[in-house]
Amino acid sequence: MLHCSNSPPISSPLFPLTRAVENVSYSARKSADARAQAADGLTRGGAEEARQRLADFWRAVSVDGQLGGLQRRVVERLFPFLPREGPWLGAMARMLSPYDLNPLNINPLKELIERFIDFEAIRRDRSLELFISATNVQTGELRVFTRAEVTAEVVMASAALPLLFRAVEIDGVPYWDGGYSGNPVVTPFLRATATEDVLIVQINPRERRKIPTHTREIMTRVNEISFNASLLSELRGVAFVNQLIDEGRLPQGMRAGEFRRLRLHRIVMESADEPFGARSTLKTDYEYFEMLRKLGQRATRRFLDAHFDDIGCRSTIDCVAPAEPELVEQS
């Protein structure tokens, strides 16, 4: 079971191991699109087809890809308004919303998604489990869309970063990026498939040794903590269910009222010589995508070299300490 949370290129070497995919995007919409693209490739022809269609998709969405002239200008107009270089750009990004910058709500990426992905085929394929998450703008609640519900609008909603894209309405409900409420969502796998190994592909760092001191560094770290909070909560929840199963207080199985005892694994994209910051999330050149793919393959090989024998036997993620408040005794 593959549970891909962010970087799409990292997943390709592992497609033979999986028929279940969950998607939450933190970095940009390009990640969410690729998760659905991977599912489409698996449905069409398995792992090799998924890899090829991912490569075709990245080529099309890149700045030297297949977007038309008008669509390309829209993309180039949208992307620069997230903070990159210079204080005035950051200030402008905070002053102008997507409703100001794109009043007609033109989004050329949706056309690419609809052209590359056969959503009807995905909905018909009962051998594949696909979960796509989005955040209800009005309530802040998480919505997990299943394979039977997936559409182009669901994919767009799952990665609608509020400062870059307008909220996507589905059945009259506005949605933003799923990372705000679940990044990624692990609990669907407690009952979704018979497989009990869940692989989380994570590029959002959980820990940083350096204390951020500059404004950009502080905001980046605040975002990382915010998006990681839901994942830590999910991991604690899974650990608690595992504990209840071990104690005989919850039944283990696939029938109604039974739960899976999940073994959790994580591939870490980052390392000392592979830094990824907020600015990298908006890079759209194909060379950058290709670099990510190669770095993802290296990270996957590191994981398999270290933990291949653990798959099917034990978790390889460190146990998450329970969240307990610190109490101060008063004299």
Side-chain angles (χ1 to χ4, degrees):
M1 184 187 322
L2 178 64
H3 188 147
C4 299
S5 63
N6 285 309
S7 174
I10 211 169
S11 61
S12 58
L14 294 171
F15 280 133
L17 305 180
T18 179
R19 293 292 293 178
V21 181
E22 197 281 340
N23 166 66
V24 180
S25 167
Y26 164 68
S27 59
R29 176 158 292 161
K30 55 196 179 190
S31 179
D33 303 342
R35 296 280 67 75
Q37 184 64 64
D40 179 65
L42 288 171
T43 298
R44 290 173 184 263
E48 290 302 325
E49 181 68 18
R51 293 190 185 99
Q52 183 59 52
R53 293 192 66 80
L54 274 172
D56 294 342
F57 177 78
W58 290 126
R59 172 62 72 182
V61 81
S62 64
V63 292
D64 54 345
Q66 302 171 12
L67 287 180
L70 175 61
Q71 296 172 325
R72 177 61 58 197
R73 287 194 292 273
V74 172
V75 172
E76 292 173 348
R77 179 174 174 80
L78 285 175
F79 282 168
F81 284 96
L82 278 188
R84 286 187 179 185
E85 298 292 346
W88 69 275
L89 265 181
M92 183 174 292
R94 288 187 289 271
M95 292 172 56
L96 299 178
S97 79
Y99 296 84
D100 301 316
L101 298 172
N102 188 14
L104 298 180
N105 199 23
I106 299 173
N107 198 320
L109 297 182
K110 182 180 178 183
E111 180 180 329
L112 272 180
I113 294 172
E114 293 174 332
R115 175 155 60 93
F116 272 83
I117 300 173
D118 186 345
F119 287 100
E120 183 61 33
I122 292 177
R123 291 191 291 265
R124 289 196 307 264
D125 187 357
R126 296 181 178 273
S127 67
L128 172 72
E129 291 297 339
L130 173 65
F131 303 99
I132 296 183
S133 304
T135 302
N136 186 317
V137 176
Q138 296 172 318
T139 66
E141 293 290 333
L142 172 70
R143 169 78 183 272
V144 179
F145 295 89
T146 65
R147 170 187 50 76
E149 300 173 301
V150 66
T151 61
E153 287 73 21
V154 169
V155 174
M156 302 294 283
S158 73
L161 291 170
L163 292 179
L164 184 58
F165 298 102
R166 297 173 62 164
V168 178
E169 289 196 9
I170 300 175
D171 297 330
V173 179
Y175 290 98
W176 277 339
D177 192 306
Y180 293 105
S181 51
N183 190 46
V185 180
V186 180
T187 50
F189 294 130
L190 289 171
R191 293 183 176 177
T193 74
T195 304
E196 294 187 338
D197 286 86
V198 177
L199 176 60
I200 301 172
V201 181
Q202 185 177 6
I203 61 171
N204 229 19
R206 177 181 170 185
E207 299 180 5
R208 286 198 183 272
R209 297 179 180 179
K210 180 183 176 182
I211 298 176
T213 56
H214 299 292
T215 301
R216 188 194 305 278
E217 295 173 344
I218 293 172
M219 293 306 300
T220 296
R221 187 55 184 154
V222 168
N223 287 332
E224 290 170 350
I225 293 173
S226 299
F227 276 84
N228 281 337
S230 57
L231 174 59
L232 294 176
S233 177
E234 288 276 328
L235 295 180
R236 293 189 182 103
V238 170
F240 183 61
V241 170
N242 287 348
Q243 178 183 339
L244 294 179
I245 291 175
D246 293 342
E247 295 174 352
R249 297 164 63 185
L250 276 182
Q252 182 177 5
M254 285 293 295
R255 294 176 298 183
E258 296 180 334
F259 297 84
R260 313 303 293 154
R261 191 190 188 288
L262 299 183
R263 293 178 292 269
L264 301 176
H265 312 278
R266 175 167 50 200
I267 291 179
V268 181
M269 182 75 162
E270 54 164 359
S271 71
D273 59 338
E274 296 166 9
F276 294 94
R279 285 175 291 176
S280 67
T281 61
L282 292 179
K283 290 184 178 180
T284 56
D285 57 282
Y286 187 74
E287 290 74 17
Y288 181 70
F289 295 158
E290 181 66 12
M291 182 198 71
L292 284 179
R293 184 184 69 85
K294 292 179 179 178
L295 292 178
Q297 288 181 329
R298 286 167 51 188
T300 302
R301 292 190 186 101
R302 289 197 299 267
F303 169 81
L304 292 175
D305 289 343
H307 299 298
F308 183 80
D309 291 337
D310 295 319
I311 298 174
C313 299
R314 62 185 66 84
S315 292
T316 57
I317 292 181
D318 293 337
C319 294
V320 180
E324 296 182 355
E326 296 183 4
L327 301 179
V328 179
E329 295 183 1
Q330 297 182 351
S331 56

mmCIF file with all atom_site columns, all heavy atoms in Angstrom, residues 100-113:
data_model
loop_
_atom_site.group_PDB
_atom_site.id
_atom_site.type_symbol
_atom_site.label_atom_id
_atom_site.label_alt_id
_atom_site.label_comp_id
_atom_site.label_asym_id
_atom_site.label_entity_id
_atom_site.label_seq_id
_atom_site.pdbx_PDB_ins_code
_atom_site.Cartn_x
_atom_site.Cartn_y
_atom_site.Cartn_z
_atom_site.occupancy
_atom_site.B_iso_or_equiv
_atom_site.pdbx_formal_charge
_atom_site.auth_seq_id
_atom_site.auth_comp_id
_atom_site.auth_asym_id
_atom_site.auth_atom_id
_atom_site.pdbx_PDB_model_num
ATOM 1   N N   . ASP A 1 100 ? -8.430  38.648 -6.880  1.00 0.00 ? 100 ASP A N   1
ATOM 2   C CA  . ASP A 1 100 ? -8.003  39.895 -7.498  1.00 0.00 ? 100 ASP A CA  1
ATOM 3   C C   . ASP A 1 100 ? -7.201  39.639 -8.765  1.00 0.00 ? 100 ASP A C   1
ATOM 4   O O   . ASP A 1 100 ? -7.378  40.310 -9.780  1.00 0.00 ? 100 ASP A O   1
ATOM 5   C CB  . ASP A 1 100 ? -7.137  40.708 -6.513  1.00 0.00 ? 100 ASP A CB  1
ATOM 6   C CG  . ASP A 1 100 ? -7.880  41.047 -5.231  1.00 0.00 ? 100 ASP A CG  1
ATOM 7   O OD1 . ASP A 1 100 ? -9.058  41.444 -5.333  1.00 0.00 ? 100 ASP A OD1 1
ATOM 8   O OD2 . ASP A 1 100 ? -7.284  40.905 -4.148  1.00 0.00 ? 100 ASP A OD2 1
ATOM 9   N N   . LEU A 1 101 ? -6.292  38.660 -8.697  1.00 0.00 ? 101 LEU A N   1
ATOM 10  C CA  . LEU A 1 101 ? -5.375  38.397 -9.792  1.00 0.00 ? 101 LEU A CA  1
ATOM 11  C C   . LEU A 1 101 ? -6.024  37.645 -10.940 1.00 0.00 ? 101 LEU A C   1
ATOM 12  O O   . LEU A 1 101 ? -5.592  37.755 -12.086 1.00 0.00 ? 101 LEU A O   1
ATOM 13  C CB  . LEU A 1 101 ? -4.166  37.598 -9.281  1.00 0.00 ? 101 LEU A CB  1
ATOM 14  C CG  . LEU A 1 101 ? -3.300  38.296 -8.223  1.00 0.00 ? 101 LEU A CG  1
ATOM 15  C CD1 . LEU A 1 101 ? -2.262  37.332 -7.675  1.00 0.00 ? 101 LEU A CD1 1
ATOM 16  C CD2 . LEU A 1 101 ? -2.623  39.512 -8.831  1.00 0.00 ? 101 LEU A CD2 1
ATOM 17  N N   . ASN A 1 102 ? -7.056  36.845 -10.627 1.00 0.00 ? 102 ASN A N   1
ATOM 18  C CA  . ASN A 1 102 ? -7.664  35.997 -11.648 1.00 0.00 ? 102 ASN A CA  1
ATOM 19  C C   . ASN A 1 102 ? -9.183  36.026 -11.498 1.00 0.00 ? 102 ASN A C   1
ATOM 20  O O   . ASN A 1 102 ? -9.805  35.030 -11.131 1.00 0.00 ? 102 ASN A O   1
ATOM 21  C CB  . ASN A 1 102 ? -7.134  34.565 -11.502 1.00 0.00 ? 102 ASN A CB  1
ATOM 22  C CG  . ASN A 1 102 ? -7.581  33.659 -12.643 1.00 0.00 ? 102 ASN A CG  1
ATOM 23  O OD1 . ASN A 1 102 ? -8.067  34.122 -13.666 1.00 0.00 ? 102 ASN A OD1 1
ATOM 24  N ND2 . ASN A 1 102 ? -7.414  32.361 -12.450 1.00 0.00 ? 102 ASN A ND2 1
ATOM 25  N N   . PRO A 1 103 ? -9.806  37.185 -11.770 1.00 0.00 ? 103 PRO A N   1
ATOM 26  C CA  . PRO A 1 103 ? -11.251 37.326 -11.515 1.00 0.00 ? 103 PRO A CA  1
ATOM 27  C C   . PRO A 1 103 ? -12.110 36.385 -12.341 1.00 0.00 ? 103 PRO A C   1
ATOM 28  O O   . PRO A 1 103 ? -13.216 36.038 -11.921 1.00 0.00 ? 103 PRO A O   1
ATOM 29  C CB  . PRO A 1 103 ? -11.519 38.794 -11.869 1.00 0.00 ? 103 PRO A CB  1
ATOM 30  C CG  . PRO A 1 103 ? -10.398 39.186 -12.779 1.00 0.00 ? 103 PRO A CG  1
ATOM 31  C CD  . PRO A 1 103 ? -9.209  38.407 -12.313 1.00 0.00 ? 103 PRO A CD  1
ATOM 32  N N   . LEU A 1 104 ? -11.623 35.935 -13.498 1.00 0.00 ? 104 LEU A N   1
ATOM 33  C CA  . LEU A 1 104 ? -12.400 35.018 -14.342 1.00 0.00 ? 104 LEU A CA  1
ATOM 34  C C   . LEU A 1 104 ? -12.177 33.561 -13.949 1.00 0.00 ? 104 LEU A C   1
ATOM 35  O O   . LEU A 1 104 ? -12.786 32.669 -14.532 1.00 0.00 ? 104 LEU A O   1
ATOM 36  C CB  . LEU A 1 104 ? -12.044 35.228 -15.811 1.00 0.00 ? 104 LEU A CB  1
ATOM 37  C CG  . LEU A 1 104 ? -12.346 36.618 -16.386 1.00 0.00 ? 104 LEU A CG  1
ATOM 38  C CD1 . LEU A 1 104 ? -11.944 36.690 -17.852 1.00 0.00 ? 104 LEU A CD1 1
ATOM 39  C CD2 . LEU A 1 104 ? -13.815 36.968 -16.216 1.00 0.00 ? 104 LEU A CD2 1
ATOM 40  N N   . ASN A 1 105 ? -11.299 33.327 -12.980 1.00 0.00 ? 105 ASN A N   1
ATOM 41  C CA  . ASN A 1 105 ? -11.013 31.973 -12.498 1.00 0.00 ? 105 ASN A CA  1
ATOM 42  C C   . ASN A 1 105 ? -10.553 31.059 -13.633 1.00 0.00 ? 105 ASN A C   1
ATOM 43  O O   . ASN A 1 105 ? -10.981 29.905 -13.748 1.00 0.00 ? 105 ASN A O   1
ATOM 44  C CB  . ASN A 1 105 ? -12.240 31.373 -11.799 1.00 0.00 ? 105 ASN A CB  1
ATOM 45  C CG  . ASN A 1 105 ? -11.855 30.191 -10.906 1.00 0.00 ? 105 ASN A CG  1
ATOM 46  O OD1 . ASN A 1 105 ? -10.713 30.073 -10.473 1.00 0.00 ? 105 ASN A OD1 1
ATOM 47  N ND2 . ASN A 1 105 ? -12.816 29.327 -10.639 1.00 0.00 ? 105 ASN A ND2 1
ATOM 48  N N   . ILE A 1 106 ? -9.668  31.570 -14.473 1.00 0.00 ? 106 ILE A N   1
ATOM 49  C CA  . ILE A 1 106 ? -9.115  30.776 -15.573 1.00 0.00 ? 106 ILE A CA  1
ATOM 50  C C   . ILE A 1 106 ? -8.016  29.875 -15.011 1.00 0.00 ? 106 ILE A C   1
ATOM 51  O O   . ILE A 1 106 ? -7.082  30.357 -14.374 1.00 0.00 ? 106 ILE A O   1
ATOM 52  C CB  . ILE A 1 106 ? -8.537  31.686 -16.669 1.00 0.00 ? 106 ILE A CB  1
ATOM 53  C CG1 . ILE A 1 106 ? -9.649  32.579 -17.231 1.00 0.00 ? 106 ILE A CG1 1
ATOM 54  C CG2 . ILE A 1 106 ? -7.873  30.858 -17.771 1.00 0.00 ? 106 ILE A CG2 1
ATOM 55  C CD1 . ILE A 1 106 ? -9.151  33.623 -18.200 1.00 0.00 ? 106 ILE A CD1 1
ATOM 56  N N   . ASN A 1 107 ? -8.132  28.586 -15.235 1.00 0.00 ? 107 ASN A N   1
ATOM 57  C CA  . ASN A 1 107 ? -7.114  27.668 -14.731 1.00 0.00 ? 107 ASN A CA  1
ATOM 58  C C   . ASN A 1 107 ? -6.768  26.647 -15.813 1.00 0.00 ? 107 ASN A C   1
ATOM 59  O O   . ASN A 1 107 ? -7.476  25.653 -15.997 1.00 0.00 ? 107 ASN A O   1
ATOM 60  C CB  . ASN A 1 107 ? -7.585  26.948 -13.467 1.00 0.00 ? 107 ASN A CB  1
ATOM 61  C CG  . ASN A 1 107 ? -6.419  26.345 -12.710 1.00 0.00 ? 107 ASN A CG  1
ATOM 62  O OD1 . ASN A 1 107 ? -5.496  25.807 -13.300 1.00 0.00 ? 107 ASN A OD1 1
ATOM 63  N ND2 . ASN A 1 107 ? -6.456  26.444 -11.386 1.00 0.00 ? 107 ASN A ND2 1
ATOM 64  N N   . PRO A 1 108 ? -5.681  26.873 -16.540 1.00 0.00 ? 108 PRO A N   1
ATOM 65  C CA  . PRO A 1 108 ? -5.321  25.970 -17.640 1.00 0.00 ? 108 PRO A CA  1
ATOM 66  C C   . PRO A 1 108 ? -4.914  24.590 -17.166 1.00 0.00 ? 108 PRO A C   1
ATOM 67  O O   . PRO A 1 108 ? -4.941  23.634 -17.940 1.00 0.00 ? 108 PRO A O   1
ATOM 68  C CB  . PRO A 1 108 ? -4.133  26.679 -18.298 1.00 0.00 ? 108 PRO A CB  1
ATOM 69  C CG  . PRO A 1 108 ? -3.563  27.544 -17.225 1.00 0.00 ? 108 PRO A CG  1
ATOM 70  C CD  . PRO A 1 108 ? -4.729  27.988 -16.406 1.00 0.00 ? 108 PRO A CD  1
ATOM 71  N N   . LEU A 1 109 ? -4.545  24.455 -15.893 1.00 0.00 ? 109 LEU A N   1
ATOM 72  C CA  . LEU A 1 109 ? -4.130  23.145 -15.406 1.00 0.00 ? 109 LEU A CA  1
ATOM 73  C C   . LEU A 1 109 ? -5.291  22.156 -15.387 1.00 0.00 ? 109 LEU A C   1
ATOM 74  O O   . LEU A 1 109 ? -5.091  20.954 -15.531 1.00 0.00 ? 109 LEU A O   1
ATOM 75  C CB  . LEU A 1 109 ? -3.516  23.270 -14.013 1.00 0.00 ? 109 LEU A CB  1
ATOM 76  C CG  . LEU A 1 109 ? -2.242  24.114 -13.924 1.00 0.00 ? 109 LEU A CG  1
ATOM 77  C CD1 . LEU A 1 109 ? -1.714  24.119 -12.497 1.00 0.00 ? 109 LEU A CD1 1
ATOM 78  C CD2 . LEU A 1 109 ? -1.185  23.607 -14.878 1.00 0.00 ? 109 LEU A CD2 1
ATOM 79  N N   . LYS A 1 110 ? -6.484  22.657 -15.198 1.00 0.00 ? 110 LYS A N   1
ATOM 80  C CA  . LYS A 1 110 ? -7.637  21.757 -15.180 1.00 0.00 ? 110 LYS A CA  1
ATOM 81  C C   . LYS A 1 110 ? -7.805  21.078 -16.531 1.00 0.00 ? 110 LYS A C   1
ATOM 82  O O   . LYS A 1 110 ? -8.148  19.895 -16.612 1.00 0.00 ? 110 LYS A O   1
ATOM 83  C CB  . LYS A 1 110 ? -8.902  22.517 -14.807 1.00 0.00 ? 110 LYS A CB  1
ATOM 84  C CG  . LYS A 1 110 ? -10.129 21.617 -14.722 1.00 0.00 ? 110 LYS A CG  1
ATOM 85  C CD  . LYS A 1 110 ? -11.379 22.383 -14.353 1.00 0.00 ? 110 LYS A CD  1
ATOM 86  C CE  . LYS A 1 110 ? -12.588 21.466 -14.326 1.00 0.00 ? 110 LYS A CE  1
ATOM 87  N NZ  . LYS A 1 110 ? -13.845 22.188 -14.032 1.00 0.00 ? 110 LYS A NZ  1
ATOM 88  N N   . GLU A 1 111 ? -7.565  21.828 -17.612 1.00 0.00 ? 111 GLU A N   1
ATOM 89  C CA  . GLU A 1 111 ? -7.680  21.238 -18.952 1.00 0.00 ? 111 GLU A CA  1
ATOM 90  C C   . GLU A 1 111 ? -6.660  20.122 -19.128 1.00 0.00 ? 111 GLU A C   1
ATOM 91  O O   . GLU A 1 111 ? -6.966  19.078 -19.723 1.00 0.00 ? 111 GLU A O   1
ATOM 92  C CB  . GLU A 1 111 ? -7.478  22.304 -20.017 1.00 0.00 ? 111 GLU A CB  1
ATOM 93  C CG  . GLU A 1 111 ? -7.580  21.770 -21.437 1.00 0.00 ? 111 GLU A CG  1
ATOM 94  C CD  . GLU A 1 111 ? -7.366  22.848 -22.478 1.00 0.00 ? 111 GLU A CD  1
ATOM 95  O OE1 . GLU A 1 111 ? -7.721  24.008 -22.194 1.00 0.00 ? 111 GLU A OE1 1
ATOM 96  O OE2 . GLU A 1 111 ? -6.838  22.533 -23.558 1.00 0.00 ? 111 GLU A OE2 1
ATOM 97  N N   . LEU A 1 112 ? -5.444  20.328 -18.618 1.00 0.00 ? 112 LEU A N   1
ATOM 98  C CA  . LEU A 1 112 ? -4.428  19.281 -18.694 1.00 0.00 ? 112 LEU A CA  1
ATOM 99  C C   . LEU A 1 112 ? -4.856  18.044 -17.923 1.00 0.00 ? 112 LEU A C   1
ATOM 100 O O   . LEU A 1 112 ? -4.692  16.915 -18.374 1.00 0.00 ? 112 LEU A O   1
ATOM 101 C CB  . LEU A 1 112 ? -3.100  19.796 -18.144 1.00 0.00 ? 112 LEU A CB  1
ATOM 102 C CG  . LEU A 1 112 ? -2.154  20.512 -19.107 1.00 0.00 ? 112 LEU A CG  1
ATOM 103 C CD1 . LEU A 1 112 ? -0.900  20.931 -18.375 1.00 0.00 ? 112 LEU A CD1 1
ATOM 104 C CD2 . LEU A 1 112 ? -1.818  19.636 -20.296 1.00 0.00 ? 112 LEU A CD2 1
ATOM 105 N N   . ILE A 1 113 ? -5.405  18.259 -16.739 1.00 0.00 ? 113 ILE A N   1
ATOM 106 C CA  . ILE A 1 113 ? -5.849  17.127 -15.919 1.00 0.00 ? 113 ILE A CA  1
ATOM 107 C C   . ILE A 1 113 ? -6.907  16.319 -16.652 1.00 0.00 ? 113 ILE A C   1
ATOM 108 O O   . ILE A 1 113 ? -6.849  15.093 -16.732 1.00 0.00 ? 113 ILE A O   1
ATOM 109 C CB  . ILE A 1 113 ? -6.391  17.629 -14.570 1.00 0.00 ? 113 ILE A CB  1
ATOM 110 C CG1 . ILE A 1 113 ? -5.271  18.250 -13.745 1.00 0.00 ? 113 ILE A CG1 1
ATOM 111 C CG2 . ILE A 1 113 ? -7.048  16.494 -13.786 1.00 0.00 ? 113 ILE A CG2 1
ATOM 112 C CD1 . ILE A 1 113 ? -5.755  18.934 -12.484 1.00 0.00 ? 113 ILE A CD1 1
#
